[in-house]
Amino acid sequence: GAGVSQSPSNKVTEKGKDVELRCDPISGHTALYWYRQSLGQGLEFLIYFQGNSAPDKSGLPSDRFSAERTGGSVSTLTIQRTQQEDSAVYLCASRTGIANNYGYTFGSGTRLTVV
Amino acid sequence: EDKVVQSPLSLVVHEGDTVTLNCSYEVTNFRSLLWYKQEKKAPTFLFMLTSSGIEKKSGRLSSILDKKELFSILNITATQTGDSAVYLCAVLHSGGGADGLTFGKGTHLIIQP
């Protein structure tokens, strides 16, 4: 597609439920990032996929968070047993992955509210 | 459609030079403009600009916003190799997207020794 597409744009869930957030990157972009933006804070790195390499999961805050990327394209971020502190905007970004090409494209995010 | 355009997309200069990075925007219900520096994983926050004409400074970095002409610039003086990074501009606005936060594609700055 023309841009990075994220869905849903807004999600309200009850504490303890599981949620899935979806990111559809730009076609051909091999690098995909998930970030979290909490109110009043900067972007927090969560996970990075690059081609067929093992993902960099070093930013996932707990084992309740997981992500996968199927077929090198669409990615799903799953949060199990959601907590109120998980409330944030979850942003996805992709880029080509070609060396020295750093043009990031961000999606418009999913606002997650845990009540 | 809300959009944020950064220029140049990439820039190579020598250590000690001064650089100016540009960010123009077209959004509905502008609230503020943010600059980030991305080196490895998560962008680090540099500045938030809400009012026109008020320069924000942090060391060798400074930034200013022009809400009439809808753009911002980020200046870096006496550049050092550690300034090499991607500089991201984002605009916070009401309506559109989950949080009305729209990013530009970034400027890849390379400082050569």
Side-chain angles (χ1 to χ4, degrees):
Chain A
V4 176
S5 177
Q6 289 188 246
S7 61
S9 57
N10 283 284
K11 175 74 177 177
V12 180
T13 190
E14 291 181 353
K15 179 181 172 181
K17 301 276 190 183
D18 297 351
V19 295
E20 281 191 357
L21 313 180
R22 176 187 169 107
C23 173
D24 199 344
I26 290 175
S27 178
H29 278 195
T30 58
L32 185 148
Y33 301 75
W34 281 100
Y35 297 98
R36 176 167 73 175
Q37 171 125 27
S38 302
L39 188 63
Q41 300 185 19
L43 289 180
E44 175 188 5
F45 167 77
L46 298 177
I47 189 169
Y48 164 52
F49 296 90
Q50 171 59 61
N52 295 321
S53 303
D56 179 349
K57 303 179 182 181
S58 60
L60 295 178
S62 78
D63 59 8
R64 296 186 295 104
F65 287 71
S66 63
E68 62 178 23
R69 190 176 183 192
T70 53
S73 180
V74 173
S75 177
T76 303
L77 176 70
T78 301
I79 308 173
Q80 296 177 309
R81 305 180 302 281
T82 51
Q83 304 294 313
Q84 287 185 329
E85 62 262 28
D86 299 334
S87 296
V89 175
Y90 290 82
L91 287 158
C92 175
S94 72
R95 63 179 179 88
T96 67
I98 296 173
N100 298 325
N101 184 333
Y102 287 88
Y104 292 89
T105 302
F106 279 79
S108 52
T110 294
R111 181 199 292 274
L112 175 66
T113 304
V114 182
V115 297
Chain B
E1 181 188 346
D2 301 316
K3 64 179 180 181
V4 176
V5 178
Q6 292 187 244
S7 64
L9 288 181
S10 65
L11 182 60
V12 181
V13 300
H14 290 288
E15 209 168 14
D17 288 349
T18 293
V19 296
T20 298
L21 310 184
N22 303 290
C23 176
S24 64
Y25 60 91
E26 289 180 32
V27 301
T28 305
N29 299 322
F30 172 90
R31 287 165 57 189
S32 57
L33 184 145
L34 302 95
W35 283 98
Y36 293 88
K37 177 183 181 182
Q38 171 134 19
E39 292 175 273
K40 293 180 181 176
K41 295 175 183 174
T44 52
F45 172 79
L46 295 175
F47 299 110
M48 175 183 276
L49 303 156
T50 305
S51 302
S52 255
I54 299 175
E55 185 183 51
K56 294 221 173 176
K57 280 183 72 75
S58 177
R60 296 175 293 103
L61 276 68
S62 64
S63 184
I64 197 161
L65 173 67
D66 186 327
K67 289 168 72 173
K68 183 179 176 185
E69 300 297 331
L70 308 183
F71 77 92
S72 173
I73 58 171
L74 175 68
N75 277 323
I76 309 175
T77 59
T79 51
Q80 303 172 357
T81 54
D83 296 327
S84 295
V86 175
Y87 290 82
L88 290 162
C89 173
V91 174
L92 193 63
H93 53 99
S94 302
D99 197 32
L101 188 63
T102 302
F103 281 83
K105 290 188 177 296
T107 292
H108 184 203
L109 177 64
I110 298 172
I111 311 296
Q112 293 181 335

